[in-house]
Amino acid sequence: MFVLTVDQRASTRRGDLVPELLADLAPFGARDGIVIGFDRTVGDEVQAVLDDAALVVEIVLAIGRWGGWSTGLGIGSVLTGPGGRLPAVSREASGPAFVHAREAVERAKTRGAPVPCAVDGPDPVAAGEVEALLRLLLAVGGRRTPAGWEVVDALARTGGTQKDVARVLGISEQAVSQRLRASLWPEEAAVRPVVTRLLQEADA
């Protein structure tokens, strides 16, 4: 399984933004793959347990786009209680995945690089590969312009073609194509399945 531990950066200066983060994450709550939903654990930290690698990648990239958070991804098992049941909230759960998530978020918080994301798991090499690709995708997203995000978001909403996006945004197909190229969206779209597969393998 996968544990995401997300800690607010510069909370003393920015105030408590956990309620806003939980509201932003709420749409993911109904998705398959959320085993224990996001909730505040302690202070300005939130946590969740997931079992879907693709959803983990999607959420990590979304949190990175919103900014202001250190994200630790732990890979491993989660202990169950009587009858094989998991607790209703993550702060009552435990297991190796939680230990790895704690180590990861602590490393993400102290990292001097501008991409505060770290991955930890039973296989350091596999976790390192996932971390490297996630940080690359986060860096690409961090350099995307508002115009680039506009076409990327429209493409995701419509689930259609560049022609559909051009019609929705009221711009030319050529402009859509130029924005997608400049935003490195084709490259990101190609890398996402790779990091998802590596994350699945790391949890195997």
Side-chain angles (χ1 to χ4, degrees):
M1 287 193 184
F2 311 105
V3 173
L4 279 175
T5 300
V6 186
D7 191 81
Q8 185 178 336
R9 300 172 68 84
S11 57
T12 55
R13 175 167 49 85
R14 300 171 65 217
D16 182 9
L17 298 180
V18 167
E20 287 85 346
L21 177 63
L22 291 176
D24 289 336
L25 290 167
F28 293 104
R31 298 271 296 274
D32 291 337
I34 301 286
V35 179
I36 300 177
F38 281 96
D39 194 11
R40 187 194 295 266
T41 51
V42 61
D44 49 11
E45 180 182 279
V46 302
Q47 194 172 65
V49 179
L50 304 92
D51 62 4
D52 184 294
L55 184 58
V56 169
V57 172
E58 184 179 348
I59 291 175
V60 168
L61 296 182
I63 292 172
R65 178 180 177 180
W66 299 330
W69 302 90
S70 298
T71 302
L73 169 56
I75 305 167
S77 59
V78 174
L79 299 181
T80 57
R85 291 189 298 272
L86 289 169
V89 292
S90 66
R91 61 180 173 272
E92 296 177 358
S94 62
F98 286 90
V99 175
H100 290 306
R102 172 58 51 200
E103 293 175 353
V105 76
E106 292 300 327
R107 187 155 49 86
K109 287 193 292 186
T110 59
R111 184 186 298 275
V115 183
C117 175
V119 182
D120 198 83
D123 183 340
V125 173
E129 291 174 343
V130 172
E131 179 180 308
L133 288 176
L134 281 176
R135 295 185 67 229
L136 175 62
L137 292 177
L138 287 164
V140 168
R143 287 160 176 74
R144 186 167 292 150
T145 65
W149 275 116
E150 184 180 41
V151 295
V152 168
D153 290 340
L155 194 62
R157 283 197 310 272
T158 63
T161 64
Q162 293 184 26
K163 182 177 181 179
D164 297 323
V165 172
R167 184 175 62 254
V168 168
L169 297 181
I171 59 178
S172 68
E173 290 183 54
Q174 182 181 18
V176 171
S177 179
Q178 289 173 343
R179 290 192 198 181
L180 289 174
R181 286 200 305 271
S183 68
L184 297 179
W185 172 248
E187 290 76 13
E188 177 179 330
V191 171
R192 283 195 182 207
V194 177
V195 68
T196 296
R197 175 176 56 79
L198 290 174
L199 188 55
Q200 289 170 335
E201 294 175 354
D203 188 45

